[in-house]
Amino acid sequence: MYADRDRYIGDPAFVKVPTAGLLDPAYLDERAKLIGAVAGPPPGPGHPRGAPPDGPDGTLEPGGTSHFVIVDARR
């Protein structure tokens, strides 16, 4: 589900999030079958009902997350 989360997370006020398709029991069963007894390469995102067609990724930055904590003298 992490691959699906990474692909389809978004604010539904601005992007179409296929929530019903992601929560569909048949889709979840299909995705669960990808879990093996031993670790292997992670599966890519699935294509739940209602998902937009795949397109090229135009991201220029490498994947990952940055965290910044800023503290000043008053707080």
Side-chain angles (χ1 to χ4, degrees):
M1 292 311 295
Y2 185 83
D4 286 345
R5 175 202 162 277
D6 197 36
R7 169 68 58 94
Y8 299 113
I9 193 170
D11 183 338
F14 299 96
V15 296
K16 185 176 179 186
V17 179
T19 305
L22 289 167
L23 297 176
D24 183 296
Y27 179 75
L28 295 173
D29 287 343
E30 175 187 319
R31 298 298 286 167
K33 291 176 186 171
L34 298 173
I35 300 171
V38 296
H47 196 78
R49 178 178 39 87
D54 292 339
D57 183 353
T59 306
L60 301 177
E61 298 85 15
T65 304
S66 297
H67 298 274
F68 294 94
V69 177
I70 300 172
V71 179
D72 67 20
R74 295 183 193 161
R75 196 69 188 158

